[in-house]
Amino acid sequence: MHLQKCVSFFILKMIRLCMKRVESVNILEIQDLTKKFGDFIAVDHMSLSVAEGEIFGFLGSNGAGKSTTIHMITGLLRKNKGTIIVLGKNSEKSATFIKRNIGMVPQELAIYEDLTAYENVHFFAGLYGMRGKKLHERTVEALKFVGLEGKEKIYPRNFSGGMKRRLNIACAIAHRPKLIIMDEPTVGIDPQSRKYILDSVRKLNAMGCTIIYTSHYMEEVEEICTRIAIIDHGKIIAEGTKEQLKSLITDSKLIVVDVKSPEAVDLAAIQAIQGVSNVQLDDQTIQIHTELGVNNLNHLIAHFIQNGIEIRSLDEREPNLETVFLTLTGRNLRDA
Amino acid sequence: MQDIFWLMRKIFIETFRSKKNIILYLFFPLFGIAIAFIAFGQTHSQSLAVGIVNEDPGKITDETIDYLHTKTGIDVQALKRDKISEALTSGNVDAVITIEKGFAEGILRQHPGHITVVSIKGNSVTAMLKATLYQYMDNLVALSTAANGDAEQFTMMYEQYKQTEFGMQTTEMGDLSRQFNMTQTAIGFLIMIMMISASNLSEIILKEKQERTYYRLLASPITTKTYITANLLVNMIVMIIQFLLTLLILTGVFHINLGIPFWEICLVMLLFSIISVGLSLVIITFANSRSAVGALKNLIIIPTTMLSGCFWPYEIMPKVAQRIAEFLPQRWILKTLTQMQEGSAIENLYMNFLVLFAFALAFFLIAAYRFSRNNSTKNFI
Ligand SMILES: Nc1ncnc2c1ncn2[C@@H]1O[C@H](COP(=O)(O)OP(=O)(O)OP(=O)(O)O)[C@@H](O)[C@H]1O
Ligand SMILES: [Mg+2]
């Protein structure tokens, strides 16, 4: 009897140890996370995990709840429900520990216009307890990382939008956090700055940082992320590598039609054509999602001709993240 | 603690980098001194006509009146009790001192009092006369104590004292009242600048929220408490620099007699600094944006400062205004300073200090309550 108890205790302990091992590989674990603003549910029972060394893409349209999720992870916003575990520690018990190990690049610029680029990074890095020579070195290193070397003494008000964005990143990485969370770091910037930022994300990752990268630019996410979660209305609707995500929609394809007079297009009529699962009109471009294996191209073309709509070009596209997203959110919208 | 210093350092760098702020925080307070000189700068003031009503005839009272005669800058004349208002309204005298029955007795019993001073020239004249009289009376009391009730001993010691004291011509009386006046004017202006500076410095909190650096700070290991404390300390330091600078320049450069021991006036101004910082926190917790702070600042600080008599004598304001002023911290500061100039000992002013402490406490409690409420409704930790 006694021996039995001992053995079962031992086995339980071993199981727990093993589970801890598994957990510690994940740098971030979210379970059942929920955030309400009044009656509005911004984040809806979300669960996800990010492993160490990943560049995890957080993809979603405006208002999907990306920033809200990030603010809960970084301790800026109270959650209503769920658990957040960062580096194996619970956010409720180890808030300061977690904050120490995260670098957050906020969606909107958060830098001091009255301090120079150097002073900005120097100040924010100093909040993590560094001082003196080490702080100076890290500051210089972070500025170099985002390609702002030589601009140390300049005030951000004299920076271009892209340079400000890069400074915004430098302020979050100088303390060498294990987890860097970037909330749409490339919104509204020039291609050169964008390239700098994407390169620095890769470099940071190569140096051992885990990165959560939020964006609504599909190409970016597709280019750099090792794993992607698509989030819509506060829920994760798909998660996986980009290949996995694309394979989700082997059952449909995308036909893109450019027309001359979009006002004459009757979306409902197109929707009614056999095999069409979703139609969207964007300026002069119609995106038609249609089931694979149903040959309805003739019907579609006939529809345009009958209605006197001039076709400028017609293109059948391979599924990419864009099509994945449209298809998935389209389904999701219809379900709702 | 390290974090607090780090944050304070940043606020100082950010603030004092702009020339505009250096002028506002360091030079503007001194403007009050300039105004004081413009208002009371002429050295050759007319001598003051003082009427004395003696209702306690005797040796000590006569000596006291003789003592006043020796002071330059005032012309002393005897007056009957029923002629007081007539003499004052006709302008024959500027002030009236009434020595009431029991005056001499009070000195011998070491409880000086039984003196009233009325003036039509405002606080500073009353203060100056009272200060002079009480100083003299205190000396008499000291002599009486030393003589230990021995009348002969007292007379002997008094004669000795009279020779040294009466012979010495210290400050001219008119000039003393002028200096008290200048002190009050300079401090009246300083009070307004301190309040404006305090709310500007607290506004940095709103600026950080608006420019979102605040949220970045909170995403670091810094807590809201640490951040607010740092801001508050910077604010207090600036306040202290402002009043010390003004007082030091008044006394050190212009040799103005404040009429109050230096450390005592510092204590009062320190208390006012705490009140200003508290009020500034209240203002920013009620304002949601920086433009709202500007509006509240104009709406609160300037009118109340005027009502409190910082720019003109409290006595000339209508009764209603005077009554409202009793609820304003600035009024209590000025009142306390006037009473101190009149010679009240600091331990007799505990009521004033109690009221001032209550103002400070109330402001901080309101601010703390509003802060906690704002934070919970906005969901930001
Ligand atoms: N403090 C708040 N109070 C009320 N509603 C809010 C608040 N913050 C966010 N929301 C709402 O929650 C939803 C999710 O917002 P969130 O900022 O997380 O979206 P997002 O995915 O980051 O979008 P974007 O791409 O525009 O940044 C939005 O509908 C937004 O209006
Ligand atoms: Mg966002």
Side-chain angles (χ1 to χ4, degrees):
Chain A
M1 190 61 202
H2 194 73
L3 189 76
Q4 219 175 348
K5 240 186 190 169
C6 258
V7 169
S8 62
F9 176 79
F10 196 73
I11 292 174
L12 263 175
K13 195 134 199 203
M14 287 302 287
I15 292 173
R16 278 219 191 104
L17 254 172
C18 289
M19 277 170 68
K20 254 210 178 126
R21 277 276 155 71
V22 174
E23 263 175 24
S24 73
V25 178
N26 282 336
I27 201 160
L28 171 70
E29 278 211 19
I30 291 175
Q31 242 147 47
D32 209 24
L33 188 64
T34 301
K35 178 73 199 176
K36 290 181 192 157
F37 294 111
D39 285 337
F40 178 75
I41 302 174
V43 176
D44 194 359
H45 301 276
M46 185 188 287
S47 297
L48 76 106
S49 53
V50 178
E52 211 165 337
E54 280 191 300
I55 301 181
F56 188 85
F58 222 42
L59 195 59
S61 52
N62 286 331
K66 306 181 294 288
S67 299
T68 307
T69 308
I70 287 172
H71 289 155
M72 285 188 282
I73 299 171
T74 49
L76 285 178
L77 210 53
R78 285 199 183 90
K79 57 185 167 35
N80 291 109
K81 202 168 165 249
T83 49
I84 300 170
I85 293 171
V86 181
L87 288 159
K89 306 236 177 176
N90 192 302
S91 67
E92 267 158 46
K93 290 177 197 137
S94 317
T96 315
F97 169 83
I98 292 177
K99 285 178 176 186
R100 261 183 205 294
N101 286 290
I102 293 185
M104 182 190 63
V105 180
Q107 177 170 1
E108 283 167 279
L109 292 172
I111 47 181
Y112 295 104
E113 299 273 326
D114 301 325
L115 297 181
T116 63
Y118 177 88
E119 286 168 333
N120 263 289
V121 179
H122 191 256
F123 168 67
F124 282 116
L127 296 176
Y128 294 84
M130 286 182 285
R131 294 287 184 276
K133 194 157 172 268
K134 187 175 168 197
L135 177 57
H136 169 75
E137 283 168 6
R138 292 284 178 84
T139 305
V140 172
E141 179 192 278
L143 283 167
K144 202 169 160 200
F145 216 92
V146 294
L148 286 177
E149 67 264 48
K151 306 261 190 304
E152 288 89 353
K153 294 218 172 81
I154 299 179
Y155 288 92
R157 55 176 170 267
N158 301 323
F159 274 175
S160 72
M163 284 156 82
K164 283 186 192 174
R165 286 261 154 213
R166 276 142 65 186
L167 180 59
N168 201 34
I169 295 174
C171 289
I173 60 173
H175 62 286
R176 292 202 187 150
K178 292 210 172 69
L179 175 62
I180 299 174
I181 305 180
M182 297 185 166
D183 196 353
E184 305 199 25
T186 53
V187 167
I189 60 167
D190 54 290
Q192 193 207 350
S193 283
R194 174 187 302 237
K195 190 177 159 327
Y196 252 117
I197 290 174
L198 293 183
D199 282 348
S200 56
V201 170
R202 281 199 202 91
K203 270 196 285 177
L204 283 167
N205 185 243
M207 283 168 60
C209 291
T210 308
I211 289 156
I212 296 178
Y213 190 94
T214 302
S215 180
H216 50 227
Y217 294 119
M218 320 285 168
E219 326 84 66
E220 265 179 19
V221 172
E222 200 166 349
E223 192 183 330
I224 61 167
C225 293
T226 52
R227 220 154 55 85
I228 298 156
I230 295 179
I231 159 169
D232 194 39
H233 294 296
K235 285 190 181 123
I236 291 182
I237 53 173
E239 190 187 342
T241 62
K242 50 189 174 242
E243 288 74 26
Q244 286 171 333
L245 289 178
K246 283 178 196 168
S247 73
L248 283 179
I249 51 156
T250 46
D251 59 336
S252 86
K253 65 184 174 192
L254 176 67
I255 297 166
V256 179
V257 189
D258 240 2
V259 295
K260 203 167 183 186
S261 42
E263 58 285 345
V265 174
D266 179 2
L267 291 177
I270 299 174
Q271 182 92 56
I273 294 171
Q274 191 200 4
V276 175
S277 56
N278 191 19
V279 187
Q280 273 168 343
L281 179 68
D282 182 13
D283 206 9
Q284 300 200 323
T285 312
I286 309 166
Q287 300 191 313
I288 304 165
H289 294 263
T290 168
E291 280 168 41
L292 222 56
V294 180
N295 198 345
N296 52 10
L297 206 51
N298 282 349
H299 294 288
L300 284 171
I301 294 170
H303 172 82
F304 287 115
I305 294 170
Q306 274 162 23
N307 289 290
I309 301 167
E310 187 181 328
I311 299 175
R312 280 167 155 181
S313 74
L314 191 145
D315 199 6
E316 206 180 299
R317 292 212 183 140
E318 279 282 296
N320 57 10
L321 278 187
E322 187 112 33
T323 52
V324 174
F325 185 78
L326 283 172
T327 318
L328 288 178
T329 53
R331 265 184 206 146
N332 187 270
L333 280 174
R334 231 183 309 144
D335 292 345
Chain B
M1 207 54 203
Q2 269 228 330
D3 292 337
I4 292 182
F5 285 135
W6 190 248
L7 288 164
M8 286 171 70
R9 179 178 169 270
K10 194 272 303 179
I11 300 172
F12 272 120
I13 293 176
E14 202 185 1
T15 306
F16 286 99
R17 177 156 289 166
S18 115
K19 285 197 187 69
K20 199 186 95 211
N21 283 342
I22 294 179
I23 291 171
L24 174 65
Y25 294 134
L26 301 182
F27 288 103
F28 234 62
L30 307 181
F31 238 71
I33 299 179
I35 294 173
F37 267 96
I38 291 165
F40 305 100
Q42 70 281 25
T43 2
H44 294 289
S45 54
Q46 284 179 322
S47 55
L48 233 71
V50 178
I52 295 194
V53 181
N54 186 355
E55 304 205 311
D56 191 29
K59 176 114 173 64
I60 290 182
T61 318
D62 289 345
E63 286 293 339
T64 309
I65 294 169
D66 277 352
Y67 170 74
L68 285 175
H69 272 293
T70 66
K71 291 274 159 191
T72 50
I74 54 172
D75 294 332
V76 183
Q77 59 194 80
L79 204 67
K80 288 257 158 45
R81 162 146 263 188
D82 51 351
K83 292 271 160 42
I84 293 179
S85 46
E86 191 191 311
L88 277 172
T89 45
S90 67
N92 282 344
V93 294
D94 299 312
V96 176
I97 300 172
T98 309
I99 299 175
E100 286 157 1
K101 206 136 199 74
F103 171 78
E105 181 89 16
I107 284 174
L108 291 173
R109 282 167 183 261
Q110 285 139 37
H111 277 295
H114 301 279
I115 281 245
T116 51
V117 179
V118 200
S119 162
I120 47 159
K121 285 245 170 125
N123 265 334
S124 68
V125 169
T126 322
M128 175 271 292
L129 287 173
K130 276 194 182 170
T132 314
L133 274 168
Y134 270 98
Q135 193 197 352
Y136 176 73
M137 285 152 69
D138 284 345
N139 286 336
L140 290 190
V141 169
L143 289 175
S144 143
T145 317
N148 208 1
D150 184 338
E152 210 168 301
Q153 179 93 14
F154 177 77
T155 316
M156 203 184 79
M157 283 164 73
Y158 179 75
E159 286 304 323
Q160 232 170 29
Y161 159 75
K162 196 168 146 184
Q163 279 185 357
T164 49
E165 173 70 25
F166 282 29
M168 204 159 61
Q169 279 310 322
T170 44
T171 343
E172 193 187 314
M173 298 294 276
D175 202 44
L176 198 61
S177 114
R178 185 180 69 93
Q179 294 187 19
F180 283 12
N181 252 327
M182 286 174 74
T183 306
Q184 295 219 356
T185 308
I187 288 185
F189 190 80
L190 173 67
I191 280 177
M192 183 182 73
I193 297 300
M194 281 171 73
M195 292 179 94
I196 292 175
S197 305
S199 60
N200 280 356
L201 286 164
S202 291
E203 201 182 318
I204 294 176
I205 300 174
L206 280 190
K207 178 174 171 248
E208 297 234 28
K209 281 192 179 174
Q210 210 160 311
E211 291 173 4
R212 294 169 304 274
T213 45
Y214 183 68
Y215 303 111
R216 183 164 223 151
L217 287 173
L218 293 193
S220 81
I222 298 293
T223 60
T224 317
K225 237 187 235 142
T226 314
Y227 175 73
I228 304 276
T229 309
N231 183 288
L232 221 135
L233 287 177
V234 171
N235 208 331
M236 276 309 290
I237 290 172
V238 172
M239 295 291 103
I240 291 170
I241 292 173
Q242 287 189 334
F243 77 70
L244 273 185
L245 211 60
T246 307
L247 294 177
L248 283 174
I249 288 179
L250 272 175
T251 54
V253 179
F254 296 111
H255 303 291
I256 300 291
N257 183 344
L258 306 174
I260 304 171
F262 194 78
W263 74 268
E264 286 185 11
I265 195 166
C266 283
L267 190 77
V268 176
M269 293 316 287
L270 186 69
L271 207 49
F272 183 67
S273 306
I274 299 173
I275 293 173
S276 301
V277 174
L279 179 68
S280 72
L281 288 177
V282 171
I283 289 178
I284 66 147
T285 57
F286 276 92
N288 292 317
S289 66
R290 296 178 67 193
S291 55
V293 171
L296 275 178
K297 209 157 59 182
N298 291 337
L299 219 72
I300 294 175
I301 296 177
I302 301 186
T304 55
T305 309
M306 286 178 170
L307 258 179
S308 307
C310 285
F311 303 138
W312 45 71
Y314 170 77
E315 289 76 20
I316 67 162
M317 294 195 303
K319 271 274 166 312
V320 190
Q322 289 188 0
R323 209 147 297 145
I324 299 171
E326 288 297 321
F327 294 95
L328 303 172
Q330 299 104 303
R331 171 79 221 125
W332 282 88
I333 291 290
L334 290 179
K335 196 162 146 178
T336 307
L337 291 179
T338 307
Q339 282 171 328
M340 285 172 136
Q341 283 184 332
E342 286 171 6
S344 287
I346 203 159
E347 51 273 18
N348 293 337
L349 294 172
Y350 66 93
M351 187 60 201
N352 298 40
F353 283 95
L354 221 62
V355 171
L356 290 171
F357 266 120
F359 273 117
L361 192 69
F363 288 147
F364 273 96
L365 284 179
I366 295 171
Y369 171 72
R370 295 278 310 178
F371 262 117
S372 63
R373 240 179 66 104
N374 283 358
N375 278 347
S376 61
T377 50
K378 279 187 192 137
N379 278 293
F380 276 102
I381 296 164

